[in-house]
Amino acid sequence: MQPQTITVLGAGYVGLTTAALLAHANYKVYVVEPNQERLDVIKTGKSFFYEQGLDPVIKLALEAGSLIPTDSYKESVPESDVVFSCVGTPDNPDGSSNLTYVFAAAEETAKHAKKGVIYVQKSTVPVGTGKQIEALFSKLNASIDYVSNPEFLREGTALYDTLFFDRVVVGGDNRKAVDAILDIYMDLEQFRDHIAHIARIPTGSRGDQYIATTLNSAELIKVTANAFLALKISFANSIAKLADKADADVVEVMDAVGADNRIGRAFLDTGRGYGGGCFPKDVSGLISSALEHGVDLEIMQAAQSLNQSMPGYIVDKLQDAVGSLADKKIAVLGLSFKAGTSDVRKSPGVAIANILQQNGATVVTYDPQAHEEAAPDLLPDIHQVNSIEAAIDGADVTVITTEWEDILAYSARDFARHMQGSVLLDAVNKYDAKDASAAGLQYIGVGRSA
Ligand code: UDX
């Protein structure tokens, strides 16, 4: 029989998106969030983070009664046929994944679940974790089928990625359980145009592949996909450093290299490197889980250290161009780790702002969404302002650190008019260099010839 009631554990990007979408596909969905502040926001029909299209989807599902936010396993799990685990996996200081919440959620579910429940792991965990949780379930005498369902959604396009997917992967040792979860996604596919309409997001099918694998393969697929994308970015950024020295333009290089279908242009955008809640964590998690299996993933260590070098490299470039940064007023535009989200985890924009400040500059930052979230990560003397004009007013240098549309669309003439100096450092390689030069600005990219 088709599952009817679903519990989603954790209302982060993955959990809240999954819960809200399934609540529009004829399922009754509980979303369990222990943080009261967050829960209160969700109960008002909103997300506590910014994600395009998510609020109307939450609101309608709440009104229909198909989405039920709660902090209680007792209220949700006993009634559920399927439990999705989407709890956080922060990284330990040594780079390995902290699985405390993952195991706690599994154990708590085992206490309350009815017989034959399917437990779906969406949190990113090192390969082998599923087997450990299966062992835990059997130790607790819980009759639960465990499957891994790696998540590929990107922040900022979370709804689109979930509805119009390349592939859905479900791995497990019980084929019936695997098929039951694939069926849920097939149900969701039936409603995707309708939901996209509510969310006002683009539609358009992509690969739509449904892939069943073993448990361990599914766990490895997730981290491997992210590690490969991170590798592509770091590879492109290492070529950007070479282009700087060799007087070539890395954007031209990547456009042409990416035009080879075997390579592809995606994830070859160069600049300040990758941040966010996934790539940095997944890469270090993969390195340390491989080491536990006696495998040294040197290639990923290189990708990680290249990435960590990028904010400092960009500030060094600026110093080469303008000399000492002491007493320079510098506008940093963009604090979120990419456009379309308020997330500032491991954000290169925040790192660059802090390094500039440590070098004696007076730093003023602007971001259309991420002010509140960035505040705790910024050094105390960094000012945050609410408009591009307020940030660049009288600035000696402007640094673009996130590819927000309003920043990229801001006219070069207005930059020139408001700034005191003329240096525009484009750390995302996306501003129109010709416009900048025509307006009399000194455009500096990362790996772009003068
Ligand atoms: C990523 C994966 O894409 C997604 O499949 C997975 O589920 C979660 O991790 P996300 O972290 O939301 O998603 O963002 P993504 O769009 O992949 O970007 C990650 C970082 O890489 C950002 O800082 C982005 O600016 C940077 N990036 C991306 C580049 O520097 N260059 C690129 O070409 C692409």
Side-chain angles (χ1 to χ4, degrees):
M1 205 186 69
Q2 270 293 94
Q4 301 299 321
T5 303
I6 294 174
T7 287
V8 176
L9 305 174
Y13 282 95
V14 172
L16 191 52
T17 304
T18 305
L21 293 177
L22 292 175
H24 285 269
N26 277 342
Y27 292 99
K28 176 177 175 186
V29 184
Y30 289 97
V31 60
V32 181
E33 174 55 52
N35 180 317
Q36 277 307 325
E37 244 172 81
R38 292 177 171 188
L39 191 63
D40 289 344
V41 176
I42 298 167
K43 282 180 175 167
T44 67
K46 282 202 300 245
S47 165
F48 58 90
F49 49 84
Y50 173 72
E51 180 61 47
Q52 196 198 352
L54 186 53
D55 285 359
V57 175
I58 295 175
K59 190 161 184 286
L60 269 184
L62 281 183
E63 285 166 5
S66 55
L67 180 66
I68 306 158
T70 174
D71 59 0
S72 160
Y73 279 64
K74 234 181 177 164
E75 180 192 348
S76 53
V77 173
E79 205 193 308
S80 295
D81 308 292
V82 174
V83 175
F84 283 85
S85 166
C86 307
V87 299
T89 51
D91 41 0
N92 287 319
D94 68 355
S96 62
S97 308
N98 180 338
L99 300 179
T100 314
Y101 300 128
V102 168
F103 281 101
E107 191 164 345
E108 196 59 23
T109 299
K111 281 188 206 156
H112 300 287
K114 63 185 180 191
K115 227 175 135 202
V117 159
I118 305 174
Y119 194 79
V120 187
Q121 189 63 259
K122 273 184 111 42
S123 302
T124 303
V125 293
V127 57
T129 307
K131 297 280 182 201
Q132 291 172 27
I133 295 178
E134 283 183 336
L136 174 72
F137 285 154
S138 80
K139 196 177 106 194
L140 297 171
N141 279 327
S143 153
I144 300 178
D145 282 316
Y146 183 92
V147 304
S148 162
N149 169 216
E151 181 53 65
F152 303 110
L153 66 77
R154 292 163 298 176
E155 292 177 23
T157 50
L159 275 66
Y160 175 76
D161 287 345
T162 310
L163 296 172
F164 303 95
F165 49 91
D166 291 317
R167 75 302 206 195
V168 169
V169 175
V170 182
D173 300 331
N174 177 341
R175 185 63 209 232
K176 253 173 86 179
V178 168
D179 286 341
I181 302 310
L182 289 172
D183 282 347
I184 292 180
Y185 283 99
M186 289 176 192
D187 285 345
L188 182 60
E189 194 189 329
Q190 304 304 312
F191 291 91
R192 65 185 182 183
D193 288 316
H194 171 70
I195 302 172
H197 180 73
I198 296 168
R200 299 197 186 161
I201 57 161
T203 57
S205 92
R206 293 198 274 172
D208 292 359
Q209 282 195 62
Y210 292 94
I211 302 174
T213 69
T214 65
L215 180 53
N216 286 354
S217 296
E219 286 176 341
L220 202 50
I221 285 166
K222 166 65 197 257
V223 280
T224 303
N226 274 359
F228 186 71
L229 294 172
L231 194 61
K232 268 187 109 174
I233 298 168
S234 280
F235 176 76
N237 278 329
S238 62
I239 300 297
K241 286 186 176 179
L242 172 59
D244 265 335
K245 292 274 182 289
D247 198 23
D249 185 330
V250 73
V251 177
E252 288 179 351
V253 173
M254 291 307 151
D255 284 348
V257 169
D260 183 330
N261 271 327
R262 294 169 304 173
I263 297 172
R265 179 61 179 83
F267 285 75
L268 293 177
D269 285 340
T270 44
R272 80 289 192 261
Y274 58 78
C278 290
F279 284 1
K281 186 160 66 91
D282 290 354
V283 169
S284 53
L286 179 61
I287 292 169
S288 81
S289 116
L291 275 178
E292 276 173 27
H293 288 87
V295 177
D296 190 354
L297 285 184
E298 284 169 277
I299 191 169
M300 292 318 305
Q301 281 172 4
Q304 189 183 40
S305 45
L306 187 287
N307 191 60
Q308 285 163 351
S309 78
M310 291 316 289
Y313 176 78
I314 285 163
V315 174
D316 288 347
K317 270 193 75 133
L318 183 60
Q319 269 166 331
D320 288 347
V322 302
S324 164
L325 301 179
D327 304 322
K328 294 250 167 19
K329 183 184 170 194
I330 303 185
V332 173
L333 304 183
L335 295 170
S336 60
F337 80 96
K338 65 172 189 177
T341 173
S342 56
D343 194 341
V344 297
R345 284 176 289 175
K346 298 272 175 9
S347 169
V350 170
I352 288 171
N354 286 341
I355 300 172
L356 291 169
Q357 164 82 17
Q358 281 162 341
N359 278 278
T362 303
V363 180
V364 182
T365 63
Y366 161 78
D367 189 285
Q369 292 290 345
H371 279 291
E372 214 175 297
E373 296 192 30
D377 294 345
L378 288 170
L379 290 174
D381 288 335
I382 293 179
H383 309 283
Q384 298 207 49
V385 293
N386 285 324
S387 69
I388 298 177
E389 285 82 12
I392 64 175
D393 191 37
D396 298 297
V397 173
T398 292
V399 188
I400 298 178
T401 39
T402 310
E403 69 287 13
W404 284 106
E405 230 172 85
D406 63 336
I407 298 171
L408 295 184
Y410 195 78
S411 101
R413 261 183 293 139
D414 287 339
F415 273 123
R417 199 155 54 85
H418 287 283
M419 288 170 62
Q420 181 186 303
S422 62
V423 173
L424 180 70
L425 199 168
D426 178 9
V428 292
N429 282 348
K430 293 236 165 89
Y431 194 79
D432 192 318
K434 285 199 186 101
D435 278 0
S437 303
L441 295 169
Q442 184 189 346
Y443 176 89
I444 305 173
V446 184
R448 310 196 74 182
S449 46

